[in-house]
């Protein structure tokens, strides 16, 4: 439950603060009750922050970050407003680390191999990056972000493990290769 998580997080934060360590809290947003606890994401985060704030003064901290994963229609600057609505009452200065951002739920048809997809990716990521609350954006699961694809050097290449006739010559050499999206990201 969020209160249990907050208690354990507070123990860690209290113990490591003297060392100058920075901290990150997982944040989710939404009103659906589809979490394992049957709480909405908004309720879970609100309860977690309320409980954590009882021990840690989040209003005065700049070393505690919120971690966001953004998917599909969530990869836009407006999504930050949904997080701010829940977070700001407890931590008005909190900045966010975006550790995953997929612009689509599916890569069926290998759209990541096209310039059109790369430009869509660039526009959406730039929109998110335009928000001052975003401290940094990282990819922690590279293939899911359509930035790279793998080729076995014979038949299969792409993130989704399918053959694609658009990949020929050097693009089929064994190993990792940048997609057009990867070139934009680079």
């Amino acid at each position: 439950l969020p209160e249990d998580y907050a208690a354990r997080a507070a123990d860690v934060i209290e113990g490591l603060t003297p060392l100058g360590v920075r901290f990150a809290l997982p944040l989710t947003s939404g009103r659906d009750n589809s979490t394992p606890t049957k709480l909405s994401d908004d309720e879970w985060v609100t309860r977690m922050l309320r409980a954590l704030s009882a021990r840690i003064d989040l209003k005065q901290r700049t070393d505690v970050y919120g971690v966001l994963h953004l998917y599909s229609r969530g990869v836009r600057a407006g999504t930050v407003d949904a997080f701010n609505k829940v977070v700001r009452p407890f931590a008005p200065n909190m900045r966010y680390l975006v550790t995953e951002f997929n612009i689509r739920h599916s890569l069926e048809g290998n759209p990541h191999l096209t310039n059109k997809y790369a430009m869509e990716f660039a526009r959406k990521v730039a929109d998110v990056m335009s928000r001052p609350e975003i401290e940094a954006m990282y990819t922690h699961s590279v293939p899911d972000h359509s930035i790279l694809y793998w080729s076995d050097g014979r038949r299969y290449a792409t993130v989704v493990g399918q053959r694609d006739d658009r990949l020929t010559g050097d693009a089929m050499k064994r190993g990792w290769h940048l997609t057009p999206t990867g070139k934009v990201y680079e």
Side-chain angles (χ1 to χ4, degrees), residues 103-104 111 113-123 180-181:
I103 66 170
R104 300 219 182 125
L113 298 178
T114 66
N115 289 333
K116 181 180 177 185
Y117 183 93
M119 293 313 297
E120 178 186 353
F121 178 88
R123 280 190 303 274
T181 309

Side-chain angles (χ1 to χ4, degrees), residues 52-64 90-91:
L52 185 58
S53 293
R55 288 183 51 191
I56 306 291
D57 184 5
L58 294 175
K59 291 185 178 189
Q60 301 302 317
R61 303 291 291 249
T62 58
D63 60 343
V64 180
F90 303 99

Side-chain angles (χ1 to χ4, degrees), residues 99-165:
T99 59
E100 189 168 349
F101 42 100
N102 293 326
I103 66 170
R104 300 219 182 125
H105 282 295
S106 169
L107 291 176
E108 186 176 342
N110 296 325
H112 56 290
L113 298 178
T114 66
N115 289 333
K116 181 180 177 185
Y117 183 93
M119 293 313 297
E120 178 186 353
F121 178 88
R123 280 190 303 274
K124 289 182 176 182
V125 170
D127 187 40
V128 173
M129 289 173 60
S130 73
R131 292 298 295 256
E133 300 96 324
I134 302 297
E135 177 81 14
M137 296 181 76
Y138 307 93
T139 56
H140 72 245
S141 181
V142 173
D144 289 336
H145 300 284
S146 61
I147 291 169
L148 298 173
Y149 69 90
W150 169 263
S151 171
D152 65 5
R154 293 188 304 264
R155 176 184 163 101
Y156 292 104
T158 75
V159 174
V160 292
Q162 303 294 319
R163 180 167 174 71
D164 196 297
D165 293 334

